[in-house]
């Protein structure tokens, strides 16, 4: 069989929403990054440290403008065709620091998450792998018009799930992870390079370009 055609270029911003040095989500984000690269994509590795911002305050925005973390987050989003986030679950929801950073960036116009493709991952020592946090995270992203990929990946018992090389020890789970990443990459590629597929996605969501409902607010 001949080699598959090279993938047309796509760039994904990949980051973990944990600041912790030994973060399980940072390990999962790195596995996502190397998997994207192994499948012909380019990766911008972001970090929550760069995107760190003070608590959102409209008065600060009006007086001082955007804080450095929001400037950086927006700039990295603008450079990419899609994003992959590995986010911890805190108290059955998303981490406050990530929501706070999203709130800041959502005040830019044009609003950078609109029509951006996103894939959500999580890792947790628990049996459900932080999956409730991802469902919570979908809500603000979808509100902002991000195309959040339907399949999400949550790594349960993550404190024992990785090999020393940073892969997932269970081969079936590792295969499922790879498939999830590649399927997401295919969706991003289609959106960027084959506009007819993008139109099909928008119509699938029941949305048509319409100034009155464009997600600018
Ligand atoms: C404030 C807080 C709340 C947490 N709530 C949950 C939770 O609801 N569900 C869960 O699975 N783990 C929860 N955990 C445990 C985290 O999943 C665990 O600390 C995980 O390792 C954090 O991700 P990280 O390793 O990427 O930093 C919580 C941890 C903290 C610090």
């Amino acid at each position: 069989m001949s080699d598959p055609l090279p993938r047309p270029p796509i760039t994904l911003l990949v980051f973990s929403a944990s600041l912790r040095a030994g973060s399980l989500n940072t390990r999962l984000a790195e596995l996502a990054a190397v998997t994207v690269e192994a499948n012909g994509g380019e990766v911008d590795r972001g970090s929550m440290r760069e995107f760190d911002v003070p608590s959102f305050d409209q008065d600060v925005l009006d007086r001082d403008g955007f804080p450095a973390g929001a400037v950086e987050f927006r700039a990295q989003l603008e450079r990419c065709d899609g994003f992959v986030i590995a986010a911890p679950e805190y108290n059955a929801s998303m981490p406050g620091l990530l929501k706070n950073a999203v709130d800041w960036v959502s005040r830019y116009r044009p609003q950078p998450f609109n029509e951006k493709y996103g894939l959500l991952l999580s890792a947790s020592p628990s049996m459900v792998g932080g999956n409730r946090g991802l469902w919570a995270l979908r809500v603000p992203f979808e509100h902002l018009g991000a195309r959040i990929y339907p399949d999400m990946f949550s790594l349960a018992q993550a404190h024992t799930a990785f090999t020393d090389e940073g892969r997932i020890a269970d081969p079936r789970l590792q295969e499922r992870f790879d498939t999830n990443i590649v399927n997401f990459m295919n969706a991003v590629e289609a959106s960027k390079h084959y506009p007819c597929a993008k139109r099909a996605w928008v119509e699938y969501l029941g949305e048509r370009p319409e100034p009155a409902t464009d997600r600018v607010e």
Side-chain angles (χ1 to χ4, degrees), residues 50-54 56 61 65-77 100-108 112:
E50 299 170 283
F51 307 152
D52 211 15
V53 278
F56 181 81
L61 178 58
F66 288 93
V71 173
E72 186 59 31
F73 194 3
R74 179 213 193 187
Q76 294 200 28
L77 280 167
N100 189 41
V102 169
D103 289 342
W104 274 105
V105 169
S106 74
R107 304 315 294 168
Y108 277 106

Side-chain angles (χ1 to χ4, degrees), residues 171-184:
R172 281 177 312 165
L173 270 186
Q174 177 65 61
E175 193 184 329
R176 188 162 163 233
F177 180 83
D178 291 343
T179 302
N180 205 157
I181 297 279
V182 170
N183 287 350
F184 172 67

Side-chain angles (χ1 to χ4, degrees), residues 18 20 23-25 88-92 123-126 130 132:
S18 173
R20 199 169 72 86
S23 163
L24 298 166
N25 284 281
E89 177 179 283
Y90 287 167
N91 298 312
S124 162
S126 80
R132 292 169 300 185

Side-chain angles (χ1 to χ4, degrees), residues 1-208:
M1 208 169 80
S2 59
D3 286 340
L5 291 171
R7 184 186 287 280
I10 58 167
T11 303
L12 299 179
L13 170 63
V14 181
F15 68 99
S16 156
S18 173
L19 295 171
R20 199 169 72 86
S23 163
L24 298 166
N25 284 281
T26 302
R27 294 174 76 175
L28 194 62
E30 181 53 27
L31 182 58
V34 299
T35 307
V36 169
E37 288 167 339
N39 286 281
E42 288 198 8
V43 173
D44 273 354
R45 285 170 172 78
S47 93
M48 211 56 226
R49 190 74 61 193
E50 299 170 283
F51 307 152
D52 211 15
V53 278
S55 294
F56 181 81
D57 183 334
Q58 184 69 49
D59 292 341
V60 172
L61 178 58
D62 293 343
R63 192 183 60 231
D64 304 332
F66 288 93
V71 173
E72 186 59 31
F73 194 3
R74 179 213 193 187
Q76 294 200 28
L77 280 167
E78 295 286 336
R79 283 202 298 269
C80 73
D81 303 308
F83 59 86
V84 180
I85 305 179
E89 177 179 283
Y90 287 167
N91 298 312
S93 189
M94 74 198 90
L97 81 166
L98 176 58
K99 177 61 162 54
N100 189 41
V102 169
D103 289 342
W104 274 105
V105 169
S106 74
R107 304 315 294 168
Y108 277 106
R109 298 292 177 270
Q111 191 267 98
F113 293 106
N114 194 26
E115 296 197 12
K116 195 70 83 179
Y117 274 68
L119 175 66
L120 304 182
L121 316 172
S122 65
S124 162
S126 80
M127 291 298 286
V128 287
N131 193 252
R132 292 169 300 185
L134 298 189
W135 282 107
L137 194 49
R138 291 191 82 92
V139 174
F141 278 137
E142 295 206 359
H143 167 78
L144 291 168
R147 309 297 189 218
I148 300 300
Y149 196 67
D151 290 336
M152 305 185 286
F153 185 92
S154 294
L155 187 62
Q157 297 187 295
H159 57 308
T160 60
F162 289 102
T163 67
D164 291 344
E165 292 73 39
R167 294 180 62 76
I168 299 170
D170 181 332
R172 281 177 312 165
L173 270 186
Q174 177 65 61
E175 193 184 329
R176 188 162 163 233
F177 180 83
D178 291 343
T179 302
N180 205 157
I181 297 279
V182 170
N183 287 350
F184 172 67
M185 292 175 71
N186 290 341
V188 175
E189 178 189 326
S191 161
K192 182 176 182 184
H193 295 287
Y194 323 124
C196 54
K198 181 175 178 182
R199 198 158 52 241
W201 171 275
V202 169
E203 288 175 5
Y204 163 76
L205 291 174
E207 296 177 9
R208 287 162 202 278

